[in-house]
Short mmCIF file of all heavy atoms in Angstrom, two decimals:
data_model
loop_
_atom_site.label_atom_id
_atom_site.label_comp_id
_atom_site.label_asym_id
_atom_site.label_seq_id
_atom_site.Cartn_x
_atom_site.Cartn_y
_atom_site.Cartn_z
N GLY A 78 129.71 119.88 107.90
CA GLY A 78 130.82 120.82 107.94
C GLY A 78 130.98 121.57 106.64
O GLY A 78 132.09 121.84 106.18
N ALA A 79 129.84 121.91 106.02
CA ALA A 79 129.86 122.58 104.72
C ALA A 79 128.85 123.72 104.70
O ALA A 79 127.99 123.82 105.58
CB ALA A 79 129.51 121.57 103.61
N GLU A 80 128.98 124.57 103.69
CA GLU A 80 127.98 125.59 103.44
C GLU A 80 126.83 124.96 102.66
O GLU A 80 127.04 124.00 101.90
CB GLU A 80 128.58 126.75 102.64
CG GLU A 80 129.69 127.50 103.36
CD GLU A 80 129.18 128.23 104.59
OE1 GLU A 80 128.01 128.67 104.58
OE2 GLU A 80 129.96 128.34 105.57
N VAL A 81 125.63 125.50 102.83
CA VAL A 81 124.48 124.99 102.08
C VAL A 81 124.76 125.05 100.58
O VAL A 81 124.39 124.14 99.83
CB VAL A 81 123.21 125.79 102.43
CG1 VAL A 81 122.04 125.37 101.53
CG2 VAL A 81 122.83 125.58 103.89
N SER A 82 125.45 126.10 100.13
CA SER A 82 125.74 126.26 98.70
C SER A 82 126.61 125.12 98.17
O SER A 82 126.52 124.75 97.00
CB SER A 82 126.44 127.60 98.46
OG SER A 82 127.62 127.70 99.24
N GLU A 83 127.46 124.52 99.04
CA GLU A 83 128.31 123.42 98.61
C GLU A 83 127.50 122.15 98.36
O GLU A 83 127.88 121.32 97.53
CB GLU A 83 129.38 123.13 99.67
CG GLU A 83 130.38 124.24 99.90
CD GLU A 83 131.38 123.88 100.96
OE1 GLU A 83 132.16 122.92 100.74
OE2 GLU A 83 131.37 124.50 102.04
N LEU A 84 126.38 122.00 99.07
CA LEU A 84 125.55 120.81 98.93
C LEU A 84 124.42 120.99 97.93
O LEU A 84 123.82 120.01 97.47
CB LEU A 84 124.95 120.43 100.28
CG LEU A 84 125.92 120.12 101.43
CD1 LEU A 84 125.14 119.78 102.69
CD2 LEU A 84 126.85 118.98 101.05
N ALA A 85 124.12 122.24 97.60
CA ALA A 85 122.91 122.55 96.84
C ALA A 85 122.80 121.76 95.54
O ALA A 85 121.71 121.29 95.18
CB ALA A 85 122.85 124.05 96.54
N ASP A 86 123.90 121.60 94.82
CA ASP A 86 123.85 120.91 93.53
C ASP A 86 123.55 119.42 93.67
O ASP A 86 123.19 118.76 92.69
CB ASP A 86 125.17 121.08 92.78
CG ASP A 86 125.36 122.51 92.26
OD1 ASP A 86 124.36 123.25 92.21
OD2 ASP A 86 126.50 122.86 91.94
N HIS A 87 123.70 118.89 94.88
CA HIS A 87 123.52 117.45 95.09
C HIS A 87 122.23 117.11 95.84
O HIS A 87 121.87 115.94 95.92
CB HIS A 87 124.71 116.89 95.86
CG HIS A 87 126.03 117.15 95.20
ND1 HIS A 87 126.41 116.56 94.03
CD2 HIS A 87 127.06 117.98 95.57
CE1 HIS A 87 127.61 116.98 93.69
NE2 HIS A 87 128.03 117.84 94.60
N LEU A 88 121.58 118.12 96.39
CA LEU A 88 120.36 117.88 97.16
C LEU A 88 119.15 117.81 96.23
O LEU A 88 119.10 118.48 95.21
CB LEU A 88 120.14 118.98 98.18
CG LEU A 88 121.12 119.07 99.34
CD1 LEU A 88 120.84 120.32 100.17
CD2 LEU A 88 121.04 117.83 100.23
N TYR A 89 118.17 116.99 96.59
CA TYR A 89 116.89 117.01 95.90
C TYR A 89 115.80 117.30 96.93
O TYR A 89 115.95 116.98 98.12
CB TYR A 89 116.61 115.70 95.16
CG TYR A 89 116.88 114.44 95.95
CD1 TYR A 89 115.93 113.92 96.84
CD2 TYR A 89 118.09 113.75 95.81
CE1 TYR A 89 116.17 112.76 97.55
CE2 TYR A 89 118.33 112.59 96.53
CZ TYR A 89 117.38 112.10 97.39
OH TYR A 89 117.61 110.96 98.11
N VAL A 90 114.75 117.93 96.47
CA VAL A 90 113.68 118.38 97.36
C VAL A 90 112.34 117.96 96.78
O VAL A 90 112.08 118.16 95.58
CB VAL A 90 113.71 119.91 97.54
CG1 VAL A 90 112.56 120.37 98.45
CG2 VAL A 90 115.05 120.35 98.13
N TYR A 91 111.49 117.37 97.62
CA TYR A 91 110.12 117.03 97.22
C TYR A 91 109.16 117.63 98.24
O TYR A 91 109.48 117.71 99.43
CB TYR A 91 109.92 115.51 97.16
CG TYR A 91 110.79 114.82 96.14
CD1 TYR A 91 111.94 114.12 96.54
CD2 TYR A 91 110.48 114.86 94.79
CE1 TYR A 91 112.74 113.48 95.61
CE2 TYR A 91 111.28 114.22 93.85
CZ TYR A 91 112.41 113.54 94.27
OH TYR A 91 113.20 112.91 93.35
N TYR A 92 107.98 118.02 97.76
CA TYR A 92 107.02 118.67 98.63
C TYR A 92 105.64 118.05 98.44
O TYR A 92 105.26 117.70 97.32
CB TYR A 92 106.97 120.17 98.32
CG TYR A 92 106.15 120.99 99.29
CD1 TYR A 92 106.50 121.06 100.63
CD2 TYR A 92 105.04 121.71 98.86
CE1 TYR A 92 105.75 121.81 101.53
CE2 TYR A 92 104.29 122.46 99.74
CZ TYR A 92 104.66 122.51 101.08
OH TYR A 92 103.91 123.26 101.97
N ALA A 93 104.90 117.92 99.53
CA ALA A 93 103.52 117.45 99.51
C ALA A 93 103.40 116.10 98.79
O ALA A 93 104.08 115.14 99.14
CB ALA A 93 102.61 118.51 98.90
N GLY A 94 102.57 116.02 97.73
CA GLY A 94 102.33 114.76 97.04
C GLY A 94 103.59 114.15 96.44
O GLY A 94 103.75 112.93 96.42
N ALA A 95 104.51 115.00 95.96
CA ALA A 95 105.75 114.48 95.39
C ALA A 95 106.61 113.81 96.46
O ALA A 95 107.32 112.84 96.19
CB ALA A 95 106.54 115.61 94.73
N ALA A 96 106.55 114.32 97.70
CA ALA A 96 107.30 113.71 98.80
C ALA A 96 106.72 112.34 99.14
O ALA A 96 107.46 111.39 99.43
CB ALA A 96 107.27 114.62 100.02
N VAL A 97 105.40 112.22 99.10
CA VAL A 97 104.75 110.92 99.33
C VAL A 97 105.18 109.92 98.26
O VAL A 97 105.55 108.78 98.57
CB VAL A 97 103.22 111.08 99.32
CG1 VAL A 97 102.54 109.71 99.41
CG2 VAL A 97 102.75 111.97 100.46
N GLU A 98 105.15 110.34 97.01
CA GLU A 98 105.53 109.45 95.91
C GLU A 98 106.98 108.99 96.05
O GLU A 98 107.30 107.82 95.83
CB GLU A 98 105.33 110.16 94.58
CG GLU A 98 105.67 109.30 93.37
CD GLU A 98 105.42 110.00 92.06
OE1 GLU A 98 105.28 111.23 92.05
OE2 GLU A 98 105.36 109.30 91.04
N HIS A 99 107.85 109.91 96.45
CA HIS A 99 109.26 109.53 96.59
C HIS A 99 109.44 108.50 97.70
O HIS A 99 110.13 107.49 97.51
CB HIS A 99 110.11 110.77 96.89
CG HIS A 99 111.56 110.45 97.08
ND1 HIS A 99 112.39 110.06 96.05
CD2 HIS A 99 112.32 110.42 98.21
CE1 HIS A 99 113.60 109.81 96.52
NE2 HIS A 99 113.58 110.01 97.82
N LEU A 100 108.82 108.72 98.86
CA LEU A 100 108.97 107.77 99.96
C LEU A 100 108.42 106.41 99.59
O LEU A 100 109.03 105.38 99.89
CB LEU A 100 108.28 108.29 101.22
CG LEU A 100 108.35 107.37 102.45
CD1 LEU A 100 109.79 107.06 102.82
CD2 LEU A 100 107.61 107.98 103.62
N PHE A 101 107.28 106.36 98.93
CA PHE A 101 106.72 105.08 98.52
C PHE A 101 107.65 104.38 97.53
O PHE A 101 107.80 103.16 97.56
CB PHE A 101 105.34 105.28 97.89
CG PHE A 101 104.24 105.61 98.87
CD1 PHE A 101 104.53 105.87 100.20
CD2 PHE A 101 102.92 105.68 98.47
CE1 PHE A 101 103.53 106.18 101.13
CE2 PHE A 101 101.91 105.98 99.37
CZ PHE A 101 102.21 106.23 100.70
N SER A 102 108.28 105.14 96.63
CA SER A 102 109.22 104.56 95.67
C SER A 102 110.45 104.01 96.38
O SER A 102 110.98 102.95 96.03
CB SER A 102 109.64 105.61 94.64
OG SER A 102 108.55 106.02 93.85
N VAL A 103 110.92 104.75 97.39
CA VAL A 103 112.06 104.28 98.18
C VAL A 103 111.70 102.98 98.89
O VAL A 103 112.46 102.01 98.87
CB VAL A 103 112.48 105.36 99.21
CG1 VAL A 103 113.49 104.78 100.21
CG2 VAL A 103 113.10 106.56 98.50
N ALA A 104 110.53 102.94 99.51
CA ALA A 104 110.10 101.73 100.23
C ALA A 104 109.97 100.54 99.30
O ALA A 104 110.22 99.40 99.70
CB ALA A 104 108.77 102.00 100.94
N ALA A 105 109.59 100.80 98.05
CA ALA A 105 109.43 99.72 97.08
C ALA A 105 110.75 99.23 96.51
O ALA A 105 110.80 98.23 95.80
CB ALA A 105 108.52 100.18 95.94
#
Side-chain angles (χ1 to χ4, degrees):
E80 297 294 328
V81 173
S82 57
E83 295 179 65
L84 300 179
D86 289 344
H87 304 291
L88 292 174
Y89 46 84
V90 178
Y91 298 103
Y92 188 62
V97 174
E98 181 178 17
H99 178 71
L100 179 58
F101 287 7
S102 295
V103 170

